[in-house]
Amino acid sequence: VTSTVLDAALCLLLVSAGAVTLVAVPETGPDGDEARRSPPADRADTLATTLTTATASVNYTLAPGARLASGTPVAFPHTEGPQFERTSRGTVAGLLADATLSGVRVGGSRLDHTGDDFRRGVRARTLEAVGANAQVVAVWRPTPNGPIEGRVVVGPDPPADRSVHAAVASVATDVPTVRRSAEQRVEDGRTATRSASGERERLARRVAGAVVIGLLPPAETRFALRGDYPVTALTRHRYHRLASLLGVDLRGSLAEDPAETNVTRATRLLTAGLADRLSASFHRSSGSPETIESEIAVGRVRITVRTWGAS
Amino acid sequence: VRLADDRRARVPFALVGVLLLLGSTTFAVTLSTQRAPAPTDEDVQTAIERAEASAGGVVRDATDAAARDAARNPVLDPAETPTGRVLNDSTAFRDALRIRIYHTVRNRLGNAGSRSGDVVASPSLPATPNASALRDAKGRVHVAGVQNGTALRVTVENVSIVARERERGVPGLTGGDGAGGPADSTGRWDAPVVGETEETITLTVETPVLALHERTERFEDRLNTGALDGSGLGRRLTAELYVITWARGYAQYGGLPIQNVLGNHHVEVATNGGIVREQRTVFGRADPDAAAGTTRLALHAGQEDLAVLTGGKKIPWAKLALKERRKIHDGGKSLPGYDRGGSTPRTDDTLTVGVNRTADAALVALTGDSTATGRGTADGTEARSLDAVLADAYEPSVRLVAETHGIEDEDEPDPDAPGTDWELVGSDADRHTSVRAATRAPDPTIPGGFHRLDAFDRVVVERHHVTRRWRRGNETRTTHASWTDRTAVGLALVGDHLPRDVPDRPVEPVHRTGGALDGPNLRAVPAAARAELVDSRGGPDAVAERVVTGGLDGRRATVAGDSPDDLGRWVRADLVRLRNRVANVSVTVPRGDVATARANPPARLADRIRERRDALLSVPPRRYDGVAEVARISARSAYLDRVIARLESRADRTRRTNERVGEALADTGAPSRDDLGEFLRSSRTRTPPERRQLVAGPGDPITVVPDGSPAVLTVVGVTRDHVPAVAPGHTYEPMTARTTNVFTVPSGEIAAGVISSVAGKEGHVSVGTAGKRLQQANGTLRHADDAELRVRRNSLRRTLADRVARAETRAAEVLEGETSLSTAARRRAVARGVARWNTTGERAIALGNGSLATAIAAEAVAEGATEGPDAPSSQVVESQLDVALSSTDFRRRVAVPVGDVKPVNRLAEQIARKLLKEGLKRGISNATELAKTEWADDALGSVPAGLPVAPVPGYWYATINVWDVKVRGQYAQFTVRARTGGPTDPDAAVAYSRDGEAVRFDTDDDGKRERLGWNDPIDFEQRTAVVIAVPPNGNGVGDVDGDADERSPGWPMPGCRARNCLDEGNASTGRFSGAEGDPRAIGVAPPQQPPGAPAIERGEQLF
C-alpha cells in the first residue's frame, strides 16, 4: 500500500512538473515582452506613425516675437496686424519639428518668441492627433549636454503607477547634418596624430556651423532682411539675440540698412561664438571625440510618444 | 514494498510520470526554440506598411521644403550644362522643382525607416551621380498644381522599400545623427533581406509654389502687354498719362504756368501707379513700399513741377521715394496732384464747333459788299448777290403755251388737168388767214410750276388757193382750186412766280396788292407779260395765227414786277435773324478725335445745315404770303447755299490739314494718326479693378505680397543706398523713359508746315497774342521794375497802339459804308467802342477776339446808326464790322512782328520766376495756390505751344499736341511671398524671387553645386502716345521748356549701367542685357556697346 501511495504521489509530482514546464516556457523565452505585445505598446507605435503621416494646418501670428522682444537694438514699431499672420501646413511631426526648433533655448534662455503662438497651435494639433493618455515629447538636441536645446512637450506626464509604452520617430529638419564625407574620414585617418582636443575643436566648429545655419539660414535671412517689416525686424532680432546669448558682437555686420548688412560675416561670427561654447562642453564631457560624434544629432528632431492605459 | 518484489509486472505510476515530464519538457523546448528567430510574414508586412506611411510623411515635408528652395531660386532658363540640359526649356521651373523634390525626399528618407518585430523596413531612392541618373530621377517625380495652384499633387514613383532582419543588439531606430544615410538607422546593409517592394507615393502638399510662379509670370506678361494688346500695364499707363496730360494741359491752357506738360517724371509716376495696380490685380495686393513710394513719387513729381517753374533746384526724388521705405506701411491711394479735377475735360468730352463767323462772312458776301468778302468766291459761279436774288423773285418767267384743235381740215384737191397731154408746169399757192374769237377752244397744258396769267381762244381760218399752170405745146392754161382749214387755238399766257430754289407753294396774293409788306406783288406782271409776249407780237390774233402756222415763240421771258420799296431792308433784317440761327448751329466732336487729327467739324456742320435746311428756310406751310415772302425765302435759300459752300471749303482745308498733321507725325517718328486713335481708345477702356486672391480650395485665402527691389522704379539711377543688391559704387537704372513732345515751340517749323500761321503772316504773331504779352509784361512790371523790360514793353505798346489805330480807321470806313452816320458820329462811336478797354493790351486782345467790333457796333447803334428809313439793323452793323476786322487781309495788316514780342516774353518770364521763388519762400506751397495769387496771374505767361488746327486763319478751332512715350523697366529683384510656413523659416513664408541670378544645386551629392540655370529678372517695355486737344485761343498746349525729346539718364537700357553692378553673383540675364534685347522692337537705336567688349552673356565669367 505504502509503495502504491508513493508511486502515485511520485507520478502526480512528475506530471505536475511537466505541466509547469509547459506553462513556463513561453514566459521565460527571449524577447518575450516584445514578441507578445500588449495593446498599449501597439498604440504608441500607431501614434508615432500617425504623427509622421497625418497632416495639419496651423494659423498663427508672429506677433509675440515682436511684443516680447527685448534686449536688442531692434525696434518694432508695430506689434500686431495682418502682416504678422501666418499659416503653416505639414505633417504633425514636421510641425512639431518646426515648433521644437522655433523654441530653441541657448544656455537655458529662449532665443526668441517668434514661434510662441506657433507652438501653441502645434501643441493643440498634436493633442488632437494623439488624444488622451499620451504624451509627445519632441526634442532637438544637437549635442549631448550642450547649450542648445529645443523641446516641445505635449500632454501630461505619465502617471507613476501605470505601465508606459513608448515609440520613437525622428524627423529630418532643414538643419544641415554633420556628416563627414568619406574623403574627410580618409583624411582624418591619415592624420591620426591629431590630438583628441583638436578633434573636439573641429567637431565643435562643424556642429556650430550647422546649428547656426539651421537657426539662421543665410540664404533665407538675406531674403528676409531685404523684405518687409516685421520679418526684417524679427530676423535682425534673432541675430542680435543669438549673438548676445553667445557673447558675440554683431555690430558692423548687421544694421538696419540692408546695404550695410553682411550676413556671411554675421554667420561666421556666430559660428565662432557657438563653437567656443560647444568645445567647452565637449571638453567637460568624458567621452572620446568619436563617442561624442556618435551622439550628435543636428539634422533631426526626436519625437517620443508615450502611452499608458486608461485608469 | 520493493518494486523488485512485485511480481505482477505492474508499471509504476511514477514511471508514467517520468515519461510525461520528459515529453512536456521536450515539447516546451521545441516550442520556445521555434518562436524566436524566424520573423513572421506579418512583421515584414507591418514594417513595410509603416515605412511606406512614414515615407509619405517624408515626401510631404520634403516637398514643402523643396518647393521653398525652388521658389527662392526659380529656374527660368536652363543652363547649357549636362545638368542644365536635364531641364526642359518650356518647363524649366517645374523640372527644377521635381529635381529638388527628388533630392530632398531622398535625403530625408533616411529617417523614415520603421520596424516591426525584428524586421526593419527602410525606404530609399537611388542617388543621381550623373545627368542620365538625374533625368531618370526627374522622371520619377511628377508635380501638378491643384486648388488653383495653392497645392501641389506630387507623385514619387518607385520608392524602394527593403525589409531586413534586424541583428540583435543593434540600437535600431534610436541611433545618433543618422539623417545622412539609411544604414545608420534601419539596420545593416548586409543583413538578410526578408522583403522588398517598390511603392509609388502620391499625395497633395499645400504649398503655393506653382501659383506664385504662375502669377509672377502673369505679372511680367501683363507688364509687357501693350495698350493695344489687351488688359495690362500698357493700357493703365496710357490711361494714367491721359489723365495727367489732360489735367496739366488744360491747366496750362487755363493759364497755369506749366512748362512741361508731360515729362519723364510723369511717365515715371504713371508707370509705377500702373504697376501697383497690376500687382493688386495679379497678386491680390500691392507691395506696400511700392504703393507708398509711388505716392511719394507723385508728390515729388508735383514739387518737381513747381521747382522747374521757379528755376529752383531739382529734388533727387529717387532718394525720397525709396528712403524711409520701411517706415510706411499704408497702402498708396490714387496719386495725389494728378487727380482729375472736376472741370478738366476728358478725351471723350466733346468740343463744340459752331458755324460762327462763317455765318457772318456768308451774309456779308451775300448782301453784296464785295470789299468785305475778300475771300474769293469759294461758293463759285452760283453765287448771286442779294439784289439779284430779290430781283429774281420779282421777275417771274412768263411764256406762252398753246393747244390747237382742227375743226375743219380739208385736203388739197389733186391737180385737175384740163385734158390729156397737159403738163403741169407750175403752181402758186396762196393762203388767206382770218382769225376770229372763238367760244370753244382746247385748253393748253400748263407746264409744271406755271400758272395761267391770261388766255385767248381763237379760231384760225385758213383759206388756201392754188393756181396751177398747165402747158400743152405752146398752149398754156390755168386752173384754180381752193380749200379751207379751220383750227381752234387755245392760247395761254403762263407765268412762274417761284424762283427755282424756293419750295413749291401757291403764292397768294400774287397779282394784287397785299400780303407781306402789303406791296404790289406781281400786280402789273400779267399786263406786262401780255404786253411783252402778246401785244408786242401783234396781239392775240397774230399770236394765234402764228401758233397755227408754226411760228409760236414758246421761250421764257422775264418780266420785272415792281418790288416794294422796303423789300431789301425787310429781307436783310430777316437774313440777320437767320444768320443768328445759323451761327448757332454747332456740332460736337470728341476732343480725342480732334486731338488725333481725325475730326472734320466743318464737314459735319455743312451736313447739319443741309439736314436742317427746310427748318432754316422757314417756308410757310401752305402758301406764300405774297411775293415778298417768296423773295425772303429765296434770299434765305441763297444765304444757306453760301454758308454751305463756305463750310465745305473749310472742310476741304481741314481734311488737308489733318492729312498734313499725319505727315508731320510720320516725319517725327511718332505713331500714326490711326495708332494715336487706338491708343486713345485704349485709354478709355477701363481695366476692371479685379483683385485675385489666392484661395486654397474651399479654405482661407493665402496672403501673397509682392516685394520689388527697388519698390519704385525710378528713371534716375539708384545705388546701394536704395537697392541693397547693387554693388558698392555702382548705379542701377530701374527704369528708362523717353518722352517726345511732337509739337513744341522749337519745332515750330512743323506747325508752320501744316498751317499758314494763325496770324496769317510769317514771322508775326496775332495781335491778340501780342496784346496778352503786353498785359503780362505790365503785370510783371507792377511787381518788379526792370529797365530793359520797360523799354521792350514800351516798344510793344507802341506797335499795338498803332494796330488798334488801324482797326479804328477800318471800323470808321465800315460805318461810313453801311450807315448814314455823320463823320463826327462815326468817330465818336469808334472812339467810345475802343474806350471800353483801358489799356492798349486789352484793346489789342479785344481786337484779336472780336469783342472790339461788337463794342464799336453797339456804340454805333447808340449813335443812331440803325435809325432812319434805309438804316441797317444792328446785327448787320455788327456783322459788317466783325467781318471787316477779322478778315484775313486785315489780320495780316495788324499782325505784330515776332521780334517785338519775344524779348518781352523772355524778360517777363525771367522776372516772373524770380518772383515765384520769393513767393515760395513766403510759403506758397503748391501750384494751385500759386495760381490763385494775383501776381502769378499777372506775371506768368507761357509761350504758345501745340499745333493750332486752323485750316483757315480765323477758323482756328482747336490746338492739339502729341506725346510719344516709351518706357522700359527692370527690377533688380522681385520677390513674391505667400505667408505660409513655420517660424523657423526667417520669412515664415514661401518666397518666390526673381533676380537674374544663377541657380545652383548639388544634384550628385559631391558637395559642389551644379548650375541648373538662371532666373530672369522681371522686366518690361511699353510704348504709348498721348494726344490732347484744347479749345482755340489761349496759349495752346505743349512742352515749352525747350526739351522736346526728354530722355532719362539711362535711356535706352535699364538695369546695370556697368556690367554686373549687382552683388552676390547677380548676372542679370534680363532682355536688356547683352544681345538678347532687341531694341528695335520699340523703335529706338540699339544700345551703344563698348567697342571691343563683346557682351558677356549670362555672367559666364562667374563660374
Side-chain angles (χ1 to χ4, degrees):
Chain A
V1 170
T2 320
S3 68
T4 306
V5 168
L6 187 70
D7 185 24
L10 194 61
C11 174
L12 282 174
L13 190 73
L14 289 170
V15 167
S16 305
V20 166
T21 309
L22 275 179
V23 170
V25 165
E27 287 185 357
T28 55
D31 296 342
D33 56 348
E34 281 188 39
R36 297 202 181 280
R37 278 185 212 97
S38 58
D42 247 341
R43 185 165 159 250
D45 266 351
T46 310
L47 286 182
T49 308
T50 303
L51 292 182
T52 53
T53 53
T55 61
S57 167
V58 176
N59 290 323
Y60 69 100
T61 169
L62 301 170
R67 215 163 40 235
L68 303 176
S70 62
T72 69
V74 181
F76 289 90
H78 305 90
T79 55
E80 58 189 325
Q83 64 265 44
F84 287 94
E85 306 298 327
R86 291 292 189 276
T87 306
S88 185
R89 298 182 177 85
T91 60
V92 178
L95 292 173
L96 270 171
D98 272 357
T100 311
L101 257 77
S102 80
V104 73
R105 287 170 188 273
V106 179
S109 307
R110 179 133 4 242
L111 185 56
D112 62 10
H113 297 271
T114 310
D116 283 9
D117 195 49
F118 177 70
R119 281 196 298 281
R120 178 200 54 73
V122 172
R123 277 198 200 95
R125 291 295 96 76
T126 311
L127 214 51
E128 285 165 20
V130 298
N133 297 331
Q135 187 190 41
V136 179
V137 178
V139 177
W140 179 59
R141 192 185 289 132
T143 58
N145 308 317
I148 307 258
E149 189 194 57
R151 170 186 289 267
V152 170
V153 180
V154 183
D157 285 339
D161 57 347
R162 214 65 50 77
S163 67
V164 173
H165 297 274
V168 172
S170 77
V171 181
T173 65
D174 292 333
V175 182
T177 58
V178 181
R179 183 166 59 98
R180 288 182 300 173
S181 67
E183 293 161 38
Q184 280 173 317
R185 282 176 212 253
V186 169
E187 194 177 322
D188 287 355
R190 242 188 268 127
T191 56
T193 53
R194 199 166 281 161
S195 71
S197 101
E199 196 68 9
R200 286 195 186 98
E201 291 283 347
R202 282 154 37 80
L203 186 60
R205 268 206 306 281
R206 280 215 314 277
V207 172
V211 167
V212 169
I213 285 174
L215 291 178
L216 288 159
E220 297 165 36
T221 55
R222 205 171 275 134
F223 250 84
L225 289 171
R226 288 180 186 171
D228 290 324
Y229 183 84
V231 167
T232 46
L234 288 171
T235 306
R236 259 183 305 124
H237 174 70
R238 194 163 231 225
Y239 268 108
H240 283 296
R241 183 85 180 119
L242 184 60
S244 80
L245 289 173
L246 296 176
V248 173
D249 187 0
L250 279 189
R251 270 177 305 182
S253 53
L254 202 69
E256 185 162 0
D257 189 344
E260 291 158 31
T261 296
N262 189 335
V263 169
T264 316
R265 197 167 112 89
T267 306
R268 206 168 57 234
L269 289 173
L270 289 172
T271 304
L274 181 59
D276 290 348
R277 295 280 291 270
L278 287 178
S279 76
S281 88
F282 290 165
H283 281 297
R284 278 198 302 276
S285 102
S286 51
S288 69
E290 286 70 29
T291 323
I292 297 170
E293 188 171 356
S294 73
E295 288 178 20
I296 281 169
V298 175
R300 55 200 207 140
V301 170
R302 246 180 81 138
I303 298 175
T304 311
V305 183
R306 291 199 180 100
T307 60
W308 54 92
S311 54
Chain B
V1 176
R2 286 176 311 222
L3 219 59
D5 293 344
D6 192 4
R7 289 173 188 186
R8 285 174 294 181
R10 285 183 300 189
V11 176
F13 280 125
L15 193 60
V16 175
V18 166
L19 285 173
L20 279 172
L21 179 63
L22 281 172
S24 71
T25 309
T26 311
F27 181 64
V29 166
T30 313
L31 208 65
S32 62
T33 48
Q34 249 179 0
R35 269 192 102 76
T40 61
D41 284 349
E42 193 189 342
D43 280 334
V44 173
Q45 205 175 340
T46 309
I48 285 177
E49 275 170 12
R50 285 188 182 164
E52 200 184 315
S54 64
V58 166
V59 168
R60 189 177 297 281
D61 289 340
T63 300
D64 187 72
R68 279 166 203 280
D69 288 342
R72 204 173 290 113
N73 295 294
V75 179
L76 272 286
D77 221 354
E80 280 298 317
T81 60
T83 316
R85 274 191 285 270
V86 173
L87 307 182
N88 219 325
D89 272 348
S90 56
T91 55
F93 177 74
R94 276 170 184 250
D95 288 358
L97 175 63
R98 286 157 74 185
I99 288 174
R100 280 180 192 273
I101 289 175
Y102 182 88
H103 272 269
T104 317
V105 170
R106 183 180 122 75
N107 287 341
R108 291 188 179 197
L109 275 181
N111 285 319
S114 64
R115 65 184 179 124
S116 178
D118 283 338
V119 178
V120 172
S122 46
S124 65
L125 286 170
T128 53
N130 54 46
S132 84
L134 191 64
R135 190 165 281 119
D136 292 344
K138 189 186 91 171
R140 284 189 178 208
V141 180
H142 305 279
V143 294
V146 291
Q147 297 170 18
N148 305 324
T150 60
L152 205 60
R153 186 186 304 284
V154 60
T155 302
V156 182
E157 287 177 354
N158 301 342
V159 177
S160 126
I161 298 174
V162 178
R164 288 166 201 275
E165 192 178 338
R166 195 182 64 160
E167 279 180 30
R168 311 249 166 123
V170 170
L173 289 173
T174 59
D177 186 9
D184 289 358
S185 61
T186 53
R188 300 290 175 197
W189 287 119
D190 49 4
V193 173
V194 290
E196 199 169 359
T197 183
E198 289 202 332
E199 290 295 332
T200 292
I201 298 169
T202 298
L203 40 83
T204 301
V205 183
E206 297 195 17
T207 175
V209 61
L210 284 185
L212 294 184
H213 173 65
E214 182 260 331
R215 295 226 170 178
T216 308
E217 291 281 272
R218 178 139 41 99
F219 176 64
E220 192 175 16
D221 274 356
R222 287 182 65 107
L223 291 191
N224 281 293
T225 302
L228 309 184
D229 303 334
S231 176
L233 177 64
R235 196 167 279 178
R236 291 186 195 274
L237 173 65
T238 308
E240 196 77 35
L241 288 179
Y242 262 95
V243 170
I244 293 173
T245 308
W246 282 61
R248 290 175 58 77
Y250 270 86
Q252 186 194 42
Y253 169 74
L256 216 61
I258 287 172
Q259 305 278 308
N260 190 357
V261 174
L262 186 68
N264 277 339
H265 56 295
H266 303 116
V267 174
E268 181 184 39
V269 170
T271 308
N272 279 294
I275 290 174
V276 167
R277 288 183 175 84
E278 281 304 318
Q279 289 180 351
R280 288 204 182 108
T281 301
V282 175
F283 300 113
R285 75 170 59 191
D287 178 0
D289 290 339
T294 303
T295 306
R296 275 199 302 282
L297 199 62
L299 282 171
H300 291 304
Q303 285 179 14
E304 170 82 359
D305 290 336
L306 206 61
V308 168
L309 192 72
T310 57
K313 205 171 135 235
K314 294 195 180 189
I315 306 155
W317 66 86
K319 207 170 244 169
L320 289 155
L322 294 170
K323 209 69 179 179
E324 311 162 43
R325 52 192 287 258
R326 266 146 236 289
K327 288 184 186 158
I328 296 183
H329 303 286
D330 56 332
K333 309 278 177 328
S334 61
L335 312 179
Y338 294 100
D339 285 339
R340 189 198 297 280
S343 56
T344 303
R346 293 158 187 264
T347 53
D348 46 357
D349 285 349
T350 51
L351 199 64
T352 302
V353 181
V355 176
N356 299 343
R357 198 164 274 169
T358 300
D360 283 333
L363 182 63
V364 169
L366 178 67
T367 53
D369 186 352
S370 59
T371 57
T373 58
R375 285 192 194 84
T377 51
D379 30 4
T381 53
E382 292 281 325
R384 294 177 298 164
S385 71
L386 180 62
D387 290 342
V389 171
L390 294 182
D392 283 353
Y394 277 85
E395 278 186 2
S397 58
V398 291
R399 61 181 285 202
L400 279 170
V401 289
E403 183 72 46
T404 59
H405 172 66
I407 303 167
E408 190 180 359
D409 189 6
E410 290 182 349
D411 290 337
E412 180 180 357
D414 288 337
D416 183 15
T420 51
D421 299 336
W422 287 94
E423 186 191 358
L424 185 65
V425 293
S427 68
D428 289 322
D430 183 24
R431 192 178 59 174
H432 174 74
T433 314
S434 65
V435 182
R436 311 193 295 265
T439 49
R440 273 185 334 114
D443 279 337
T445 314
I446 295 175
F450 284 81
H451 71 278
R452 189 196 302 256
L453 297 174
D454 207 348
F456 315 97
D457 291 341
R458 292 289 185 274
V459 174
V460 177
V461 181
E462 288 170 281
R463 292 199 64 83
H464 300 277
H465 298 275
V466 62
T467 306
R468 299 193 176 97
R469 288 188 304 278
W470 307 85
R471 190 169 64 188
R472 189 174 65 184
N474 292 333
E475 196 178 350
T476 57
R477 190 174 288 182
T478 310
T479 59
H480 298 277
S482 68
W483 71 98
T484 306
D485 288 341
R486 253 200 297 265
T487 313
V489 176
L491 261 180
L493 181 61
V494 295
D496 179 7
H497 311 309
L498 296 179
R500 268 170 303 148
D501 47 0
V502 172
D504 202 10
R505 298 272 189 290
V507 185
E508 184 62 39
V510 56
H511 298 301
R512 57 189 171 83
T513 306
L517 291 180
D518 201 22
N521 293 324
L522 300 180
R523 196 175 52 190
V525 161
R530 186 176 167 153
E532 171 90 19
L533 292 181
V534 181
D535 294 351
S536 68
R537 297 177 187 173
D541 290 357
V543 173
E545 187 184 331
R546 214 166 290 148
V547 169
V548 174
T549 55
L552 177 70
D553 182 3
R555 284 177 300 177
R556 290 156 184 262
T558 52
V559 286
D562 295 330
S563 54
D565 293 340
D566 48 358
L567 177 71
R569 221 180 114 75
W570 183 64
V571 169
R572 272 163 216 260
D574 179 63
L575 284 179
V576 168
R577 280 195 296 276
L578 177 61
R579 173 239 163 246
N580 290 348
R581 282 182 67 186
V582 169
N584 286 334
V585 170
S586 60
V587 291
T588 55
V589 283
R591 285 169 198 255
D593 284 359
V594 173
T596 51
R598 292 178 307 164
N600 194 340
R604 291 190 47 208
L605 281 172
D607 287 344
R608 177 63 59 86
I609 301 263
R610 261 188 225 107
E611 280 164 26
R612 299 179 55 187
R613 186 184 177 104
D614 283 349
L616 290 169
L617 281 179
S618 305
V619 180
R622 294 219 304 280
R623 61 184 183 86
Y624 293 112
D625 187 18
V627 179
E629 187 157 39
V630 174
R632 181 174 68 83
I633 303 300
S634 183
R636 283 185 165 234
S637 171
Y639 173 67
L640 291 180
D641 284 345
R642 279 180 185 262
V643 171
I644 289 171
R646 275 171 187 267
L647 286 174
E648 275 173 350
S649 115
R650 258 171 77 183
D652 231 33
R653 290 172 195 241
T654 305
R655 201 155 30 242
R656 284 205 296 278
T657 306
N658 283 347
E659 278 161 18
R660 266 177 281 170
V661 170
E663 286 161 21
L665 287 172
D667 289 348
T668 59
S672 73
R673 277 194 292 160
D674 289 343
D675 282 352
L676 290 178
E678 291 297 316
F679 282 127
L680 173 66
R681 185 163 339 137
S682 83
S683 82
R684 289 196 210 124
T685 315
R686 279 191 66 79
T687 308
E690 47 168 341
R691 274 184 178 227
R692 291 198 42 199
Q693 284 205 315
L694 263 188
V695 176
D700 304 326
I702 295 175
T703 306
V704 177
V705 188
D707 180 17
S709 178
V712 171
L713 298 176
T714 54
V715 291
V716 295
V718 295
T719 61
R720 195 173 171 79
D721 290 344
H722 314 116
V723 177
V726 177
H730 280 277
T731 306
Y732 182 84
E733 305 281 351
M735 188 157 77
T736 58
R738 180 181 177 185
T739 307
T740 315
N741 185 199
V742 177
F743 303 114
T744 53
V745 171
S747 62
E749 319 83 66
I750 298 173
V754 175
I755 50 152
S756 40
S757 147
V758 182
K761 202 168 171 185
E762 291 296 322
H764 285 62
V765 297
S766 74
V767 66
T769 308
K772 229 172 259 171
R773 299 287 163 268
L774 178 58
Q775 286 291 93
Q776 283 155 358
N778 285 339
T780 306
L781 283 170
R782 269 202 295 282
H783 297 280
D785 199 8
D786 183 272
E788 196 188 347
L789 179 60
R790 190 171 292 280
V791 170
R792 298 289 189 176
R793 192 270 316 261
N794 291 346
S795 155
L796 178 60
R797 190 162 60 191
R798 273 195 301 279
T799 310
L800 285 176
D802 167 66
R803 299 299 187 264
V804 174
R806 287 183 195 179
E808 288 176 34
T809 312
R810 180 83 186 100
E813 283 168 21
V814 171
L815 288 180
E816 186 179 3
E818 290 294 314
T819 69
S820 50
L821 290 176
S822 68
T823 313
R826 290 200 300 267
R827 205 170 290 152
R828 251 195 327 273
V830 171
R832 283 186 185 160
V834 171
R836 287 191 183 186
W837 290 274
N838 294 324
T839 66
T840 309
E842 284 169 4
R843 287 170 188 169
I845 294 169
L847 173 58
N849 63 23
S851 47
L852 189 70
T854 315
I856 294 176
E859 295 295 340
V861 170
E863 289 290 332
T866 53
E867 289 159 22
D870 275 338
S873 71
S874 61
Q875 274 290 353
V876 169
V877 174
E878 191 184 325
S879 294
Q880 293 286 3
L881 280 170
D882 187 30
V883 169
L885 294 186
S886 61
S887 74
T888 315
D889 290 341
F890 187 72
R891 275 171 184 271
R892 286 208 185 103
R893 281 184 56 207
V894 296
V896 177
V898 83
D900 280 356
V901 181
K902 247 190 180 155
V904 174
N905 227 17
R906 181 174 44 81
L907 289 166
E909 241 177 71
Q910 284 173 5
I911 294 163
R913 282 190 180 156
K914 227 184 288 168
L915 280 172
L916 261 174
K917 224 189 228 165
E918 287 162 17
L920 287 179
K921 280 182 201 147
R922 292 203 303 263
I924 292 162
S925 59
N926 64 55
T928 319
E929 209 175 313
L930 181 73
K932 284 184 195 146
T933 58
E934 46 98 27
W935 49 265
D937 209 26
D938 290 349
L940 291 165
S942 49
V943 194
L947 176 69
V949 187
V952 188
Y955 293 91
W956 178 17
Y957 69 92
T959 303
I960 66 171
N961 218 326
V962 179
W963 284 267
D964 188 7
V965 175
K966 293 164 187 159
V967 60
R968 297 161 161 206
Q970 180 176 315
Y971 282 97
Q973 184 172 38
F974 190 83
T975 308
V976 185
R977 291 185 171 85
R979 287 177 179 162
T980 65
T984 46
D985 182 343
D987 257 329
V990 180
Y992 176 91
S993 180
R994 298 274 292 272
D995 54 8
E997 276 187 35
V999 180
R1000 279 168 288 172
F1001 180 65
D1002 184 6
T1003 56
D1004 50 10
D1005 290 322
D1006 64 352
K1008 290 194 199 90
R1009 298 187 300 160
E1010 283 77 36
R1011 181 147 36 96
L1012 284 181
W1014 290 266
N1015 72 65
D1016 296 330
I1018 303 282
D1019 51 27
F1020 64 91
E1021 55 186 316
Q1022 286 289 344
R1023 181 191 186 170
T1024 187
V1026 190
V1027 296
I1028 186 172
V1030 298
N1033 301 314
N1035 289 313
V1037 60
D1039 293 353
V1040 292
D1041 57 354
D1043 190 7
D1045 183 0
E1046 198 185 336
R1047 302 176 190 208
S1048 71
W1051 179 261
M1053 292 300 160
C1056 292
R1057 205 175 286 175
R1059 256 181 281 129
N1060 303 317
C1061 71
L1062 301 180
D1063 59 5
E1064 295 174 19
N1066 188 318
S1068 188
T1069 59
R1071 88 177 80 158
F1072 301 126
S1073 57
E1076 290 248 319
D1078 182 7
R1080 283 161 302 178
I1082 58 171
V1084 294
Q1088 296 292 317
Q1089 287 281 356
I1096 295 184
E1097 284 203 43
R1098 306 199 163 287
E1100 287 292 345
Q1101 75 283 7
L1102 287 172
F1103 312 108

